[in-house]
Amino acid sequence: MRALLVVNPAATTTSARTRDVLIHALASEMKLEAVSTEYRGHARDLGRRAAESDDIDLVVALGGDGTVNEVVNGLLHNGPDPEGLPRLAVVPGGSTNVFARALGLPNDAVEATGAILDALRDRTERTVGLGLAAGTPGTEDEGVPQRWFTFCAGFGFDAGVVGRVEQQRERGRRSTHALYVRQVLRQFLEEPHRRHGTITLERPGAAPETDLVLSIVCNTSPWTYLGNRPVYASPKASFDTALDILGLAKLSTPAVARYATQLLTSTPERGPHGRHAVTLHDQTDFTLHSKAPLPFQMDGDHLGLRTSVTFTGVRRALRVIV
């Protein structure tokens, strides 16, 4: 087997020594080429190179969810082809590693590498669905290129939090759960649309859902983790179905306290709910419009402001080693 290992040298939770150990472990079982990323988008370029090659069987992403997202977008540059494209394996190296953990992999890079090697020997894998987001035709965002996501996308409040966290990291702050909590509070205090949402959800054959403040699109469950605690925004979301949506139409102080409590106590059976909550399961096609430009994020990567995003849930998009 020939494999390409895409290494993010800035991965939060792995040292250079640990990465060397992992590379040697993988190289002992396959013909391995290891490449460290050097710029934003480099992992995507490497994934595309692997997809267009004739002899790469496996791409291993060593890094956080952002690295995985780039590799996936490179692999699927010309569209999904589960049988024809190289398989994907993920070694978690970020602060949260939602995709890897949702697949059932250990959150420790060394343990995850061992699990991947066992899976390769046993030839165990699964084909997962992915989400696809693009600019909506006929809007000012229609020229925005389409992009795949592995576990979630957010339009509005939560994307604003992601943007704030990225700004803090650019200033040298470490990505910690405490940092996220602080940015949630700041986003809440400064959110201009928290009482009167600007987002409309449109889907075929259904009346639109209007005046949403927050919209979270989930491709799997949990939505994220706080330390070792899983947080379920859409408990029914799965790699085996299309996309789930959680929308909130009000973020007053009492509403935030209620929904935050529901998220922190969420379970695989029950997530946020209530009069101002919109929950939809297994949605293949829908669009989110906003009266004003709002922050947009995918897989924890802030992508700037958008006014309209069209989503597609694609079942059986990519083979993953588990």
Side-chain angles (χ1 to χ4, degrees):
M1 176 184 293
R2 184 179 175 193
L4 172 66
L5 173 64
V6 179
V7 181
N8 179 359
T12 308
T13 57
T14 57
S15 65
R17 183 174 182 179
T18 300
R19 290 191 290 272
D20 287 342
V21 170
L22 300 180
I23 290 171
H24 285 300
L26 292 168
S28 68
E29 299 290 335
M30 63 193 74
K31 185 177 180 181
L32 185 72
E33 177 189 3
V35 181
S36 295
T37 57
E38 299 176 355
Y39 53 86
R40 190 180 181 105
H42 193 184
R44 180 197 61 225
D45 295 342
L46 293 169
R48 180 177 179 181
R49 191 191 89 187
E52 294 175 348
S53 74
D54 296 324
D55 57 355
I56 294 180
D57 306 297
L58 174 70
V59 178
V60 183
L62 170 52
D65 289 310
T67 303
V68 175
N69 179 278
E70 285 195 14
V71 169
V72 167
N73 275 277
L75 284 171
L76 273 65
H77 178 78
N78 294 316
D81 180 9
E83 300 306 317
L85 290 173
R87 291 167 293 170
L88 173 70
V90 178
V91 178
S95 58
T96 310
N97 308 305
V98 177
F99 182 65
R101 294 164 84 175
L103 288 169
L105 290 168
N107 197 36
D108 176 80
V110 175
E111 292 182 9
T113 300
I116 290 168
L117 291 174
D118 288 343
L120 288 169
R121 294 187 194 107
D122 297 338
R123 299 185 178 181
T124 58
E125 60 183 54
R126 66 180 293 189
T127 303
V128 300
L130 297 172
L132 182 65
T136 305
T139 71
E140 61 184 73
D141 290 328
E142 66 179 340
V144 176
Q146 66 181 21
R147 180 164 170 168
W148 297 89
F149 60 97
T150 63
F151 66 92
C152 86
F155 190 42
F157 183 88
D158 85 296
V161 174
V162 170
R164 288 175 180 273
V165 170
E166 286 193 5
Q167 289 177 353
Q168 294 298 314
R169 293 188 65 182
E170 289 171 358
R171 295 170 185 167
R173 302 283 180 86
R174 290 186 67 248
S175 179
T176 64
H177 298 296
L179 177 62
Y180 272 90
V181 171
R182 289 196 298 271
Q183 301 316 310
V184 168
L185 293 174
R186 290 177 179 174
Q187 182 69 22
F188 171 70
L189 293 173
E190 299 177 21
E191 173 60 57
H193 308 295
R194 68 185 187 189
R195 294 185 181 276
H196 303 286
T198 65
I199 302 170
T200 296
L201 165 64
E202 295 181 351
R203 55 196 175 109
E209 303 284 351
T210 61
D211 302 326
L212 302 177
V213 181
L214 173 152
S215 52
I216 296 172
V217 181
C218 292
N219 185 51
T220 189
S221 185
W223 165 53
T224 190
Y225 292 83
L226 288 175
N228 292 321
R229 178 190 290 273
V231 180
Y232 300 89
S234 297
K236 293 182 181 179
S238 167
F239 288 129
D240 298 321
T241 62
L243 302 173
D244 283 27
I245 309 161
L246 169 66
L248 298 180
K250 192 174 185 180
L251 283 183
S252 63
T253 301
V256 166
R258 181 170 62 254
Y259 291 125
T261 299
Q262 291 178 355
L263 279 169
L264 291 174
T265 59
S266 59
T267 69
E269 291 75 37
R270 191 166 178 82
H273 55 278
R275 185 160 58 95
H276 300 293
V278 175
T279 57
L280 299 171
H281 174 58
D282 198 14
Q283 301 295 304
T284 303
D285 299 286
F286 58 93
T287 298
L288 296 172
H289 301 284
S290 175
K291 301 171 187 175
L294 294 178
F296 180 56
Q297 67 89 10
M298 296 173 66
D299 287 347
D301 187 9
H302 187 264
L303 300 179
L305 301 178
R306 300 283 192 274
T307 57
S308 187
V309 186
T310 294
F311 292 88
T312 306
V314 181
R315 296 178 179 87
R316 298 187 57 80
L318 187 66
R319 292 183 299 164
V320 182
I321 301 297
V322 289

